[in-house]
Amino acid sequence: LLCVSVNIVILVLAVALFLLVLHHNFLGLSSLLRNEVSDSGIVGPQPVDFIPNAPQRVVDGRDEEIPVVIAASEDRLGGAIAAINSIQHNTRSNVIFYIVTLNGTADHLRSWLSSGNLKSIRYKIVNFDTKLLEGKVKEDPDQGESIKPLTFARFYLPILVPRAKKAIYMDDDVIVQGDILALYNTPLKPGHAAAFSEDCDSTSAKVVIRGAGNQYNYIGYLDYKKERIRKLSMKASTCSFNPGVFVANLTEWRRQNITSQLEKWMKLNVEEGLYSRTLAGSITTPPLLIVFYQQHSTIDPMWNVRHLGSSAGKRYSPQFVKAAKLLHWNGHFKPWGRTASYTDVWEKWYIPDPTGKFSLIRRHVEISNTK
């Protein structure tokens, strides 16, 4: 009888221990699932990994996740790193970065992100499937540059951020000096899928782009000699907008099938050559201008102070640059390149590449000049 009692006690203890271990594992799994996002079944861009180790920033109940999408190509990786660093250090909100890149860059990017100040960020590396662009873009010998697939990542936001209702997209040649929460809270009018900064706004209209043609209205991007463009009845003098920084209502984007609309105009351009050849020369802006014609909201101009890369000269006062919420080096002169404006502002946020693959070009020039 005593033996039976001992066996029962042992059995009860074993069951209790098993339940305790099971409960502990369940809690661990629940915690992991809360932080990690599963994207199985995505067609097109594929998630490579997600780093959930950083604590979520919850301040004053502001625990809404802010998805920020940024493309990171191998030759411009330092730009994306500086942009991410500037965003992270100027907000207390719960930001998660969706960093879109190509397969060959993922390992390099991952090693850079695991160093220094960037260890605390929450991010997902997403591989962009270039097959998405087949039949939609073609090499243009007149442009002198090969097609850069990642410039089209912004067209596929609902696939890149499948569960989000809203997201911010920005180019890699920016520095954010304001709290990204303010940009995220940009009001969008009913029925509008995105908010852009218009090229006629007070900050950018002050700047004359030498040799770049008319970059302030639709005729700078679209060929109005083509019948298909004329049939759209879009005024050629309509103010254009800059798609390097924008806020997207992804619920509305999906409802209106914006991605399919953009792809339609990409294909038509391949067949008929609808974009302007002599002026602005952008291949990503024209489809957006068509699809969002008189159907977009606007962001605060201080959230896209641009043309810093249009020439090597300084065009804004130090006070204005300091007051800008976001600085944008659009143009040929990048802050990591040979000649650029306001490099001191950009370098404040740059983190050197631990692998040594990426380095500031002008640093080499400066060193060689001092020898």
Side-chain angles (χ1 to χ4, degrees), residues 51-55 57 81 84-85 88-89 95-97 99 113-114 117-124:
I51 307 299
N53 300 330
R57 298 180 172 198
I81 292 292
I84 290 168
N85 191 33
Q88 180 73 0
H89 281 82
V95 177
I96 174 169
F97 296 95
I99 310 169
L113 290 168
S114 64
N117 298 332
L118 296 174
K119 287 182 180 178
S120 64
I121 74 167
R122 300 180 70 233
Y123 68 88
K124 175 176 295 189

Side-chain angles (χ1 to χ4, degrees), residues 72-273:
S73 59
E74 183 70 27
D75 59 329
R76 299 162 61 111
L77 211 49
I81 292 292
I84 290 168
N85 191 33
S86 69
I87 293 167
Q88 180 73 0
H89 281 82
N90 284 302
T91 188
R92 300 173 70 192
S93 297
N94 181 25
V95 177
I96 174 169
F97 296 95
Y98 288 78
I99 310 169
V100 190
T101 192
L102 302 177
N103 260 337
T105 305
D107 288 341
H108 184 190
L109 176 59
R110 197 178 293 111
S111 64
W112 205 334
L113 290 168
S114 64
S115 67
N117 298 332
L118 296 174
K119 287 182 180 178
S120 64
I121 74 167
R122 300 180 70 233
Y123 68 88
K124 175 176 295 189
I125 297 176
V126 185
N127 176 50
F128 187 74
D129 186 356
T130 56
K131 290 179 182 176
L132 285 168
L133 303 179
E134 288 179 0
K136 304 181 186 78
V137 292
K138 65 176 180 179
E139 300 288 340
D140 185 350
D142 294 337
Q143 293 291 91
E145 290 186 3
S146 59
I147 296 296
K148 295 178 172 59
L150 292 175
T151 62
F152 296 95
R154 71 198 84 193
F155 289 8
Y156 297 93
L157 290 181
I159 302 175
L160 299 171
V161 195
R163 289 168 182 79
K165 295 179 180 178
K166 195 175 179 183
I168 294 170
Y169 171 85
M170 57 181 59
D171 285 342
D172 57 10
D173 53 357
V174 307
I175 288 295
V176 173
Q177 300 186 133
D179 187 341
I180 199 74
L181 180 66
L183 179 61
Y184 185 74
N185 286 337
T186 297
L188 272 71
K189 293 177 182 177
H192 285 182
F196 301 91
S197 180
E198 294 196 341
D199 289 326
C200 307
D201 66 36
S202 58
T203 56
S204 60
K206 294 176 184 176
V207 183
V208 176
I209 315 294
R210 292 177 184 171
N214 189 343
Q215 289 198 342
Y216 294 144
N217 50 38
Y218 272 47
I219 200 170
Y221 294 89
L222 300 170
D223 187 351
Y224 275 79
K225 294 176 182 176
K226 297 296 171 71
E227 184 183 1
R228 191 177 291 277
I229 295 297
R230 291 201 306 271
K231 279 185 175 179
L232 292 172
S233 299
M234 299 184 303
K235 287 185 179 179
S237 60
T238 302
C239 183
S240 54
F241 53 76
N242 180 276
V245 179
F246 64 90
V247 182
N249 177 337
L250 296 181
T251 303
E252 197 62 41
W253 191 295
R254 294 182 186 99
R255 191 183 71 79
Q256 296 182 32
N257 293 319
I258 296 293
T259 297
S260 297
Q261 291 188 54
L262 292 168
E263 289 184 323
K264 167 193 166 184
W265 288 103
M266 290 167 72
K267 290 174 185 173
L268 286 171
N269 177 63
V270 169
E271 296 165 7
E272 303 175 27

